[in-house]
Amino acid sequence: MSGPSPQGHNWSQKSEDEEDPLDQMILRTGCATFHYAVQECMAEHQDWRKCQQQVQAFKDCMKEHQKQRTEELQKKQRLAQAKS
């Protein structure tokens, strides 16, 4: 890598063809729009404190996704127990 690296995360080291596992995981949650809003805010302001609204929206989305996922797993466990 030549020259000084930019401050913050440098996520562009991968080739364009490589899929980022983090991006793929976030896409599966349905919260990608909120994630991208956080990234855009950070790129614009370079200060996470100015992006609290976007961070909170992403956090709320992920929390709701986790709640739904937990409920789905519990339902599957109850069905599996009922069959045994």
Side-chain angles (χ1 to χ4, degrees):
M1 189 166 159
S2 62
S5 63
Q7 287 190 347
H9 296 289
N10 189 357
W11 299 76
S12 60
Q13 293 298 312
K14 296 184 179 193
S15 72
E16 292 296 317
D17 297 335
E18 264 186 89
E19 301 265 345
D20 184 343
L22 179 63
D23 283 344
Q24 292 303 309
M25 184 213 48
I26 292 172
L27 282 171
R28 286 191 298 269
T29 68
C31 300
T33 303
F34 298 104
H35 174 66
Y36 297 139
V38 171
Q39 287 183 320
E40 287 176 23
C41 182
M42 285 297 297
E44 181 180 340
H45 298 288
Q46 300 292 313
D47 184 351
W48 66 271
R49 293 169 293 189
K50 294 181 180 178
C51 301
Q52 289 305 294
Q53 182 178 354
Q54 292 85 346
V55 169
Q56 189 61 50
F58 178 58
K59 183 178 175 182
D60 291 345
C61 182
M62 290 298 289
K63 186 175 181 180
E64 182 62 29
H65 169 74
Q66 187 61 42
K67 178 183 168 193
Q68 290 175 0
R69 187 165 181 259
T70 299
E71 288 172 0
E72 185 179 305
L73 290 173
Q74 289 172 345
K75 184 178 178 181
K76 285 181 182 179
Q77 287 175 343
R78 285 193 299 270
L79 287 173
Q81 288 173 351
K83 290 181 180 179
S84 9

